[in-house]
């Protein structure tokens, strides 16, 4: 937001330098980007009048001008072609300084002496036009300093306005802030409109069909308008705000926008409502009977699918049903809150103007402006949410200025469609609460002065138990003030953070340190890093389209998400219910840039809605993803592509280091994962997570060049099962005995089930079980597989004999035959 100090003085009579003013804004919480002095380097540039123009004797493209500055007549050589005798122009006399420090000296140009220079807007850094001189108003006094005339004796402060302060996106809003920290009153311009007798109802009607997208729509009609340039003071104000002057009517709408923060739009009434034949059918939805067959009917509605409209920039836009338009009965004539239409644009021939002042849904305006690539001063303000109760003041202000500056005649009355009125909210503010939180000793009077300076209304004051409670009415232009703590923050801002003494919080001494949960969280991260994974941190918001890409059914619980009310983009529209999409997005970003070896993990929260609860359940999850190879091929070793067992090994390593012994994988079918290559992770017989290879269809959708493997585990379940009370045991001094067994078994029997049975029958003497071979094909029947295990037996108190080991081995084989009907191959 660009704040012109000269313009600001029209609303508040402050006595601060621009630097001091900027410092006060910064101290009260409004960041200052910079302070610019527009005419700082300019000296001795004055108003001059061209008395005579003669051709240059030695140059066809130059002329010699006789210029009167009021005190002397100068001969100046010039190359411009757009001036004529009698024009008044900026004249840089000898000794003058132009922007950038360029000094003007007497010179001889092609044999003719030149005593100064006449300036273009480009040379004064007022614009980019360097083709001709800047022609000034003929009523200006000769010799007057050009800085006073063109508003160059001004400083502009650039403020960084946060999204929660739409009220500061205007000159009156900036004046209100300045009034709060200076204690000075602000002056709001009055609008004395002399309405003519013709009622507006004869000219215009408005119907809001979609009130969820348009909360208020007001309009006035001004006739007998004479289009021309706006006065120099208005042009200077607009220029200081970064807006180019166009004509008096358009400049007035832009001026009121910057003054009040309320966007306006001016329609050419005759273009907007040519004669409408009665044969035009009504709109396909909504009751518009009152508008049929007459002039002046405006309808605020959603666009129809594939409806077309040409905007002011000359581009034909194809609209959809999420876009709000202002329409007559035939077509859309403007994009609500974003841009007007070319068919109703104000031109030099305009004589009657319909002024629109409305309040539109912020989220809808943001989506429309981003979708169409149309971001303007108006859309930026609507996106942040403007005050619906400021609509009428801005409308009247524009009508008054058109009356005064464009010779307009304002029709009697105004249209104001306001379906659901927004009222101020009432908050109670306790004086004791202010001082307890801020560590101050503010009294009732000073707090009230601060609140009233901000435009808030004090309704009542109550004293109970030696504490003062102030009842405050918060105006609708301050939507950010919702709770008592918000009012306390306002008091702190205006009182001055620099005036609040620093103090350390008091409390009982206690020893610092990490909780058990924090220690385990740290350990989990370290284990995964030592496993070769890189930690990533991603947003909690995801794109809902991930669920489609992952093949989840419409009724899948993971689709039950919390939607963001006002998302920054469609890619961040919902809160995640799983870490998997976030990890996939990181991997996809890397592989798309030829970084194919990705090994990552994240420890983060997911957000699961709860029935009849406002806040969701937010469990912490641990997710991991690997794809590609662990390392690239080199001279001594070939690379190996990562597979499922690499990821399973990482999970095993994690559980081992957390002291979790009772866990297993249970084969399942899951839509995200490859059929037959996914499993539930069970800890103490309870589901704690999932692991598997990403489904081939999902891999194709995300365009992964190599297979992707993912796991996700509940951190709470890991912490609950973790046992870090390590016990040291003596290593047996007696030799062990190894036995190998191989057998044929049904394909669907898992290795974990077999291992569980072997360990169960092996007893305390069986120390290790290792699967070292799986074979299919050849002499093995279809639907069967051959599995070979190595068994290691050892006792702590003796050397085992063969008969003792054979007895245990026989028990194991018998159990496997009994349960799985195995066929032994090697004994």
């Amino acid at each position: 937001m660009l704040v012109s100090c000269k313009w600001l003085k029209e609303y508040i009579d402050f006595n601060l330098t621009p630097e001091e003013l900027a410092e006060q804004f910064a101290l009260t919480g409004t960041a200052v980007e910079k302070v610019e002095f527009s005419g700082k380097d300019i000296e001795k540039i004055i108003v001059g009048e061209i008395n005579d123009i003669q051709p240059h004797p030695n140059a066809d493209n130059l002329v010699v001008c006789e210029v009167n500055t009021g005190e002397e007549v100068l001969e100046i050589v010039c190359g411009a072609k757009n001036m004529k005798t009698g024009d008044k122009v900026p004249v840089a006399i000898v000794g003058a300084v132009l922007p950038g420090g360029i000094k003007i000296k007497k010179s001889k140009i092609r044999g003719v002496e030149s005593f100064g220079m006449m300036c273009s807007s480009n040379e004064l850094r007022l614009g980019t036009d360097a083709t001709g001189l800047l022609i000034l108003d003929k009523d200006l006094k000769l010799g007057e300093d050009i800085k006073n005339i063109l508003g160059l004796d001004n400083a502009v402060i650039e403020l960084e306005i946060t999204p929660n302060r739409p009220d500061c996106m205007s000159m009156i809003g900036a004046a209100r802030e300045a009034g709060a920290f200076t204690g000075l009153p602000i002056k709001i311009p009055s609008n004395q409109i002399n309405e003519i007798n013709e009622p507006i109802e004869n000219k215009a009607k408005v119907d809001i069909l979609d009130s969820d997208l348009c909360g208020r729509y007001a309009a006035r009609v001004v006739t007998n308008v004479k289009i021309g340039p706006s006065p120099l003071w208005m042009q200077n104000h607009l220029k200081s705000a970064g807006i180019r002057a166009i004509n008096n009517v358009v400049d007035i709408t832009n001026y009121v926008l910057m003054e009040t923060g309320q966007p306006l739009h001016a329609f050419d009434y005759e273009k907007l409502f040519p004669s409408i034949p009665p044969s035009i059918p009504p709109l396909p939805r909504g009751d518009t009977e009152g508008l049929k067959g007459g002039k002046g009917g405006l309808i605020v509605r959603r666009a129809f699918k594939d409806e077309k409209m040409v905007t002011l920039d000359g581009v034909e836009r194809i609209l959809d049903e999420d876009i709000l338009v202002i329409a007559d009965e035939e077509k859309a004539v403007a994009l609500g809150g974003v841009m007007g239409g070319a068919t109703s644009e104000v031109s030099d021939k305009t004589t009657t103007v319909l002024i629109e002042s409305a309040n539109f849904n912020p989220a809808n305006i943001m989506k429309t402006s981003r979708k169409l690539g149309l971001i303007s001063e108006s859309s930026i303000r609507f996106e942040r949410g403007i005050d619906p109760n400021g609509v009428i003041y801005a409308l009247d202000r524009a009508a008054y200025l058109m009356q005064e500056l464009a010779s307009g005649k304002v029709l009697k009355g105004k249209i104001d469609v306001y379906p659901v009125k927004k009222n101020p909210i009432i908050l109670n503010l306790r004086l004791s609460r202010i001082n307890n939180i801020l560590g101050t000793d503010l009294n009732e009077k000073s707090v009230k002065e601060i609140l009233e300076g901000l435009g808030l209304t004090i309704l009542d004051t109550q004293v109970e138990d030696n504490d003062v409670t102030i009842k405050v009415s918060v105006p609708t232009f301050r939507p950010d003030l919702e709770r008592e703590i918000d009012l306390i923050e306002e008091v702190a801002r205006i009182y001055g953070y620099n005036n609040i003494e620093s103090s350390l919080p008091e409390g009982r001494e206690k020893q610092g340190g990490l909780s058990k949960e924090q220690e385990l969280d740290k350990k989990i991260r370290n284990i995964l890093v030592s496993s070769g994974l890189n930690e990533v941190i991603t947003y909690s918001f995801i794109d809902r389209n991930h669920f489609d890409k992952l093949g989840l059914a419409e009724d899948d619980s993971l689709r039950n998400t919390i939607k963001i009310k006002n998302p920054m983009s469609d890619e961040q529209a919902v809160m995640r219910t799983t870490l998997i999409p976030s990890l996939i997005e990181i991997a996809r970003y890397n592989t798309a840039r030829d970084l194919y070896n990705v090994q990552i993990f994240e420890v983060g929260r997911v957000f699961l809605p709860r029935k009849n609860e406002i806040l969701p359940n937010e469990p912490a999850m641990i997710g991991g993803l690997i794809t590609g190879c662990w390392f690239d091929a080199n001279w001594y070793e070939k690379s190996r592509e990562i597979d499922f067992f690499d990821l399973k090994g990482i999970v095993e390593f994690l559980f081992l280091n957390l002291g979790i012994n009772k866990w297993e994988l249970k084969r399942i079918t899951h839509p995200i994962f490859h059929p037959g290559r996914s499993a539930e992770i069970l800890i103490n017989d309870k589901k704690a997570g999932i692991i598997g290879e990403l489904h081939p269809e999902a891999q194709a959708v995300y365009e992964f060049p190599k297979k992707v493997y993912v796991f996700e585990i509940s951190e709470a379940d890991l912490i609950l099962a973790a046992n870090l009370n390590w016990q040291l045991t003596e290593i047996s001094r007696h030799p062990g005995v190894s036995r190998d067994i191989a057998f044929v078994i049904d394909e669907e029997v898992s290795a974990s089930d077999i291992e569980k049975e072997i360990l169960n029958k092996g007893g305390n003497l069986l120390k290790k079980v290792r699967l070292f071979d799986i074979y299919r094909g050849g002499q093995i029947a279809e639907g069967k597989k051959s599995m070979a295990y190595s068994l290691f037996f050892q006792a702590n108190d003796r050397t085992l004999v063969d008969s003792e080991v054979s007895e245990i081995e026989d028990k194991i084989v018998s159990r496997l035959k009994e349960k799985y009907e195995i066929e032994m191959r090697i004994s």
Side-chain angles (χ1 to χ4, degrees):
M1 172 71 188
L2 299 177
V3 176
S4 161
C5 292
K6 201 170 185 179
W7 193 357
L8 191 65
K9 276 231 174 209
E10 296 179 8
Y11 310 103
I12 178 169
D13 190 19
F14 60 88
N15 190 26
L16 299 171
T17 66
E19 293 90 347
E20 291 170 339
L21 185 63
E23 183 182 9
Q24 284 299 313
F25 273 117
L27 287 174
T28 52
T30 305
V32 176
E33 291 289 325
K34 59 184 175 181
V35 180
E36 283 193 347
F37 296 84
S38 50
K40 185 177 181 181
D41 298 331
I42 294 177
E43 295 179 14
K44 295 185 178 180
I45 302 179
I46 58 178
V47 177
E49 182 177 3
I50 300 174
N51 291 342
D52 187 35
I53 302 175
Q54 295 295 330
H56 194 289
N58 303 318
D60 294 338
N61 294 324
L62 299 176
V63 294
V64 181
C65 299
E66 185 182 279
V67 183
N68 182 9
T69 65
E71 293 186 356
E72 57 182 332
V73 177
L74 303 175
E75 186 177 72
I76 298 175
V77 177
C78 181
K81 304 295 183 185
N82 67 319
M83 68 288 191
K84 63 183 184 298
T85 301
D87 282 345
K88 290 184 177 178
V89 295
V91 179
I93 62 178
V94 174
V97 180
L98 296 176
I102 301 172
K103 293 184 179 180
I104 301 300
K105 300 178 182 179
K106 183 178 75 170
S107 60
K108 184 175 285 189
I109 302 174
R110 301 294 292 272
V112 177
E113 287 189 327
S114 181
F115 296 87
M117 183 179 83
M118 295 181 288
C119 303
S120 68
S121 60
N122 181 61
E123 287 160 337
L124 295 175
R125 293 190 179 173
L126 298 175
T128 58
D129 185 9
T131 59
L133 300 181
L134 176 62
I135 307 301
L136 302 174
D137 193 302
K138 291 186 177 182
D139 296 331
L140 294 177
K141 182 180 177 183
L142 294 179
E144 189 172 353
D145 193 332
I146 204 70
K147 290 199 291 187
N148 298 331
I149 296 168
L150 300 179
L152 299 175
D153 56 338
N154 190 20
V156 177
I157 302 172
E158 184 176 348
L159 302 178
E160 181 184 338
I161 307 299
T162 54
N164 67 321
R165 291 299 307 274
D167 59 299
C168 286
M169 296 287 287
S170 66
M171 292 302 302
I172 289 177
R176 192 183 293 114
E177 281 289 296
F181 60 66
T182 60
L184 298 172
I186 65 170
K187 298 170 283 186
I188 305 297
S190 59
N191 305 311
Q192 297 178 353
I193 300 175
N194 301 316
E195 297 179 335
I196 62 176
N197 288 329
E198 183 179 359
I200 192 173
E201 289 78 11
N202 293 345
K203 284 277 190 180
K205 302 172 186 177
V206 173
D207 186 14
I208 299 176
L209 297 188
D210 292 289
S211 58
D212 58 322
L213 301 185
C214 178
R216 188 175 193 181
Y217 195 99
R220 271 190 179 274
V221 175
V222 184
T223 64
N224 199 40
V225 169
K226 292 180 174 58
I227 301 295
S230 55
L232 196 57
W233 62 266
M234 180 174 283
Q235 293 185 37
N236 290 338
H237 283 339
L238 291 176
K239 180 183 63 184
S240 69
I243 297 176
R244 177 175 60 90
I246 297 174
N247 60 50
N248 50 0
V249 169
V250 175
D251 290 353
I252 285 168
T253 61
N254 287 332
Y255 178 85
V256 175
L257 162 67
M258 302 310 298
E259 181 180 52
T260 66
Q262 169 66 49
L264 303 174
H265 184 67
F267 294 97
D268 184 318
Y269 182 87
E270 297 301 333
K271 292 179 183 177
L272 187 63
F273 301 117
S275 178
I276 301 176
S279 61
I280 292 177
L283 285 170
R285 60 191 176 91
D287 179 12
T288 59
E289 289 296 319
L291 303 179
K292 288 198 320 182
K295 289 186 69 176
L298 276 181
I299 304 168
V300 186
R301 60 170 173 83
R302 283 180 164 86
F304 303 129
K305 186 178 180 182
D306 296 329
E307 185 173 4
K308 295 179 181 179
M309 193 195 92
V310 179
T311 47
L312 284 173
D313 54 4
V315 178
E316 184 179 69
R317 311 283 177 177
I318 299 176
L319 313 179
D320 59 43
E321 294 170 328
D322 291 330
I323 294 175
L324 185 73
V325 297
I326 315 303
D328 58 26
E329 284 201 335
E330 288 184 282
K331 61 188 180 304
V333 296
L335 299 175
V338 178
M339 184 175 280
T343 58
S344 57
E345 180 180 9
V346 171
S347 68
D348 293 342
K349 297 180 180 179
T350 298
T351 58
T352 301
V353 173
L354 184 143
I355 311 170
E356 166 197 279
S357 182
N359 186 272
F360 299 114
N361 180 284
N364 181 260
I365 297 301
M366 185 184 74
K367 288 179 181 177
T368 299
S369 64
R370 300 301 188 274
K371 184 183 296 181
L372 300 178
L374 294 173
I375 300 175
S376 63
E377 292 285 353
S378 295
S379 68
I380 289 171
R381 284 163 175 78
F382 278 125
E383 287 173 16
R384 297 184 178 209
I386 60 172
D387 179 16
N389 294 321
V391 163
I392 297 302
Y393 174 80
L395 179 67
D396 289 344
R397 180 72 170 148
Y400 167 74
L401 290 173
M402 289 186 192
Q403 169 189 287
E404 299 298 311
L405 305 179
S407 303
K409 304 296 182 184
V410 184
L411 266 59
K412 186 176 182 180
K414 61 179 77 73
I415 294 171
D416 184 14
V417 183
Y418 196 0
V420 181
K421 186 175 181 181
K422 184 177 180 180
N423 295 310
I425 65 169
I426 309 300
L427 297 175
N428 290 325
L429 179 61
R430 294 164 291 173
L431 190 62
S432 61
R433 182 73 171 154
I434 297 173
N435 290 323
N436 286 339
I437 287 179
L438 302 182
T440 54
D441 190 23
L442 296 173
N443 57 39
E444 178 187 341
K445 181 182 177 183
S446 60
V447 170
K448 285 183 176 179
E449 287 175 353
I450 290 172
L451 297 176
E452 289 174 334
L454 288 166
L456 280 61
T457 303
I458 307 300
L459 298 178
D460 189 20
T461 303
Q462 296 179 350
V463 180
E464 186 176 344
D465 296 332
N466 295 322
D467 190 13
V468 176
T469 299
I470 304 169
K471 183 176 285 188
V472 183
S473 175
V474 179
T476 50
F477 64 74
R478 288 301 303 271
D480 57 312
L481 303 183
E482 300 176 325
R483 303 169 298 165
E484 181 184 36
I485 193 66
D486 297 328
L487 296 179
I488 295 173
E489 182 183 359
E490 290 299 290
V491 172
R493 278 196 321 111
I494 304 305
Y495 177 68
Y497 296 120
N498 54 317
N499 295 322
I500 299 175
E501 293 185 9
S502 300
S503 60
L504 294 174
E506 296 180 359
R508 292 176 296 174
E509 290 186 8
K510 59 180 181 179
Q511 187 175 357
L514 300 177
S515 65
K516 175 188 174 184
E517 289 75 15
Q518 291 170 329
E519 287 279 9
L520 284 169
D521 178 86
K522 184 178 178 181
K523 186 174 182 65
I524 288 167
R525 295 171 196 263
N526 289 337
I527 293 169
L528 293 174
V529 169
S530 66
S531 300
L533 303 185
N534 297 300
E535 184 173 8
V536 298
I537 300 173
T538 63
Y539 290 113
S540 298
F541 317 118
I542 62 171
D543 188 342
R544 59 168 62 89
N545 289 330
H546 279 298
F547 300 127
D548 295 326
K549 293 178 180 180
L550 291 171
L552 293 177
E554 289 297 328
D555 59 351
D556 194 291
S557 61
L558 291 178
R559 284 184 177 269
N560 185 20
T561 57
I562 298 168
K563 296 177 178 62
I564 306 302
K565 270 189 176 180
N566 191 16
M568 296 296 291
S569 68
D570 288 339
E571 286 75 27
Q572 297 180 340
V574 297
M575 304 293 286
R576 65 187 178 191
T577 52
T578 169
L579 299 181
I580 292 175
S582 302
L583 295 171
I584 286 176
E585 193 59 35
I586 293 291
R588 188 202 60 78
Y589 182 88
N590 281 272
T591 56
R593 288 156 180 79
D594 298 336
L595 301 173
Y596 301 118
N597 302 333
V598 180
Q599 299 93 33
I600 56 175
F601 79 93
E602 179 175 15
V603 180
R605 295 193 179 277
V606 298
F607 302 85
L608 310 177
R610 293 186 287 192
K611 286 185 178 180
N612 304 320
E613 294 283 345
I614 297 176
L615 296 177
N617 186 24
E618 301 180 22
M621 304 296 289
I622 304 160
L625 179 149
I626 59 174
T627 184
C629 303
W630 280 115
F631 54 85
D632 293 323
N634 51 60
W635 65 270
Y636 63 87
E637 191 174 7
K638 293 182 180 179
S639 64
R640 179 182 65 81
E641 191 170 327
I642 286 170
D643 60 23
F644 173 83
F645 297 101
D646 289 302
L647 191 64
K648 178 174 178 287
I650 291 171
V651 173
E652 288 179 348
F653 183 71
L654 175 64
F655 288 173
L656 175 66
N657 282 273
L658 291 176
I660 300 174
N661 297 318
K662 192 176 179 183
W663 71 277
E664 62 178 310
L665 299 182
K666 181 181 178 182
R667 182 183 297 175
I668 61 165
T669 300
H670 193 284
I672 290 179
F673 296 108
H674 189 297
R677 299 181 190 173
S678 61
E680 283 183 343
I681 301 172
L682 303 180
I683 300 177
N684 295 326
D685 299 323
K686 175 189 173 186
K687 179 183 175 182
I690 193 168
I691 184 172
E693 177 187 327
L694 195 63
H695 198 286
E697 291 182 2
Q699 292 193 165
V701 170
Y702 286 106
E703 299 181 346
F704 283 120
K706 296 184 179 180
K707 294 177 180 179
V708 177
Y709 302 92
V710 183
F711 75 82
E712 186 175 44
I713 308 172
S714 164
E715 187 180 43
D717 289 335
L718 281 187
I719 290 173
L720 186 64
N723 179 16
L724 300 184
N725 297 320
W726 304 102
Q727 292 184 346
L728 301 179
T729 58
E730 184 180 359
I731 297 174
S732 176
R733 300 179 182 182
H734 303 280
V737 178
S738 292
R739 293 285 176 89
D740 293 341
I741 61 172
F743 46 82
V744 177
I745 193 169
D746 290 340
E747 181 68 53
E748 64 268 14
V749 180
S750 68
S752 62
D753 289 339
I754 297 171
E755 188 173 319
K756 190 186 300 182
E757 294 297 334
I758 292 174
L759 288 171
N760 186 42
K761 287 298 179 181
N764 295 331
L765 296 180
L766 179 57
K767 301 299 184 184
K768 293 180 184 177
V769 177
R770 181 172 60 89
L771 175 65
F772 66 85
D773 183 59
I774 298 179
Y775 176 72
R776 298 175 179 89
Q779 299 177 353
I780 306 301
E782 187 176 348
K784 301 283 187 176
K785 60 185 173 183
S786 171
M787 306 182 75
Y789 282 88
S790 175
L791 313 179
F792 180 74
F793 300 89
Q794 189 178 39
N796 293 330
D797 57 350
R798 66 190 186 280
T799 300
L800 295 175
V801 296
D802 284 345
S803 60
E804 197 174 4
V805 174
S806 297
E807 184 181 348
I808 300 173
E809 182 182 350
D810 290 342
K811 289 181 180 180
I812 293 171
V813 172
S814 296
R815 177 56 180 166
L816 295 178
K817 285 181 178 180
E818 177 187 341
K819 186 165 185 177
Y820 299 116
E821 298 180 352
I822 66 169
E823 297 177 20
M824 296 299 298
R825 297 188 66 204
I826 301 173
S827 179

